[in-house]
Amino acid sequence: MFDEMPLSAQMQRVKGRAGAVMGAGGRLERLWQQGSAKAMLPRMHGRAPEVVFLNTAGGLTGGDRLDYRLEIGAGAQVVGTTQTAERAYRSAGGAARVETRLVVGPGARLHWLPQEVILFEGASLDRLLVAEMAGDAELVTLETLVLGRAAMGERLRDLQLRDRREVIRDGRCAMVEAIRLGPEDMDRAGHAGLNGAVAVATLSLFARDAEDRLARLRAVLPVEGPVRAAASAWDGRVVARFMAAEAWPLRQAVARAVARLTDGPLPRVWQI
């Protein structure tokens, strides 16, 4: 005798929503979580509150959907991060989608510092981050991508990535960045194909004094060795970009840059 299971039951998809609203002084005003998406607030001592997001499914594959939201009230100081690196596995059909919404109120400071996204062979991932901030607020964002599993010697050949980031500042568009990678990009050896890099990161700061922090950020950026990095500043914005042939040296370089740019400790869940 053989039991038959409907295909829909065999191929269950991850769905999750999680978010938090932090008021003045970093006090939690509202928290919600549904499905595999969780939001946690570990106990902090002498540090800004941290909101830690987690996908309890252990990874993403085609058809999965996660939605995160973090709202920071006027004058609050909060760090947002993820419990661990997210993993995008081979897709059996369709793309996984992760959408993140950030809202930063007047005079507030939000440091959005998620850990890496590791892309496996055959992954298909759509990501969207939209941040809305007041003109006098401070926002730091970090996005890190790792192409393949170094411990297994994996070199990606089949990949579909669509990654878009938008920052709306005082009602006006301050940044739009879109990345798209496919199999054709993995075959390119030149700069258009990441020039051999398998780990990349973008660290951005939006603040009234952003340009004043450029020199001290550049002081900790690697100028030679396994990681290449550069930074520039304009119109209340600083952007640093990192490329490396291995994930671990890049993570260390990014950690130093985050600490210098934010003038504060790394999120407690980071392991450096």
Side-chain angles (χ1 to χ4, degrees):
M1 179 188 295
F2 296 94
D3 293 330
E4 293 187 359
M5 181 179 294
L7 182 62
S8 59
Q10 297 178 39
M11 303 291 288
Q12 292 183 10
R13 296 277 67 93
V14 166
K15 291 185 178 180
R17 296 175 58 253
V21 178
M22 308 294 288
R27 294 190 300 272
L28 177 65
E29 293 186 349
R30 183 185 172 208
L31 183 144
W32 64 93
Q33 48 193 20
Q34 176 183 341
S36 67
K38 307 299 179 185
M40 303 173 290
L41 279 78
R43 183 172 298 177
M44 308 300 292
H45 300 281
R47 298 170 53 160
E50 292 184 6
V51 180
V52 182
F53 291 93
L54 172 65
N55 172 21
T56 58
L60 297 164
T61 188
D64 291 348
R65 176 67 185 261
L66 292 178
D67 292 282
Y68 298 132
R69 186 177 182 91
L70 183 54
E71 298 184 27
I72 308 301
Q77 299 181 14
V78 176
V79 175
T81 187
T82 53
Q83 176 70 24
T84 185
E86 185 63 274
R87 291 163 175 80
Y89 300 117
R90 177 183 292 275
S91 171
R97 182 169 178 82
V98 179
E99 188 170 308
T100 302
R101 300 276 175 170
L102 308 175
V103 179
V104 191
R109 184 174 69 186
L110 171 60
H111 295 165
W112 175 248
L113 304 170
Q115 300 193 62
E116 304 92 337
V117 173
I118 303 173
L119 299 164
F120 286 46
E121 176 71 5
S124 181
L125 176 63
D126 287 353
R127 291 201 308 167
L128 173 65
L129 181 144
V130 178
E132 299 179 36
M133 60 181 296
D136 63 347
E138 174 178 309
L139 172 66
V140 173
T141 66
L142 173 66
E143 298 294 339
T144 305
L145 296 172
V146 178
L147 308 179
R149 295 162 289 178
M152 300 181 63
E154 185 177 47
R155 304 291 294 189
L156 299 191
R157 292 292 180 265
D158 182 16
L159 167 70
Q160 294 291 341
L161 171 68
R162 289 159 292 274
D163 197 0
R164 183 179 175 91
R165 297 184 290 274
E166 303 176 9
V167 176
I168 310 301
R169 189 176 190 181
D170 227 7
R172 301 179 62 182
C173 181
M175 181 192 79
V176 174
E177 288 196 347
I179 299 172
R180 183 167 185 168
L181 292 175
E184 63 280 6
D185 301 301
M186 299 299 99
D187 291 334
R188 293 175 181 165
H191 292 287
L194 301 180
N195 201 27
V198 299
V200 295
T202 299
L203 176 63
S204 303
L205 163 70
F206 299 84
R208 287 182 170 178
D209 66 339
E211 290 94 336
D212 297 335
R213 305 194 209 180
L214 178 61
R216 68 182 185 184
L217 173 61
R218 283 177 169 170
V220 299
L221 294 182
V223 296
E224 59 183 12
V227 182
R228 290 161 285 168
S232 57
W234 70 99
D235 194 26
R237 174 185 175 192
V238 170
V239 176
R241 303 190 191 277
F242 304 78
M243 301 175 67
E246 297 180 18
W248 179 245
L250 181 133
R251 183 178 175 89
Q252 293 177 304
V254 168
R256 289 191 294 268
V258 167
R260 180 60 62 92
L261 191 63
T262 63
D263 196 25
L266 296 171
R268 290 183 60 183
V269 295
W270 279 38
Q271 299 295 321
I272 297 293

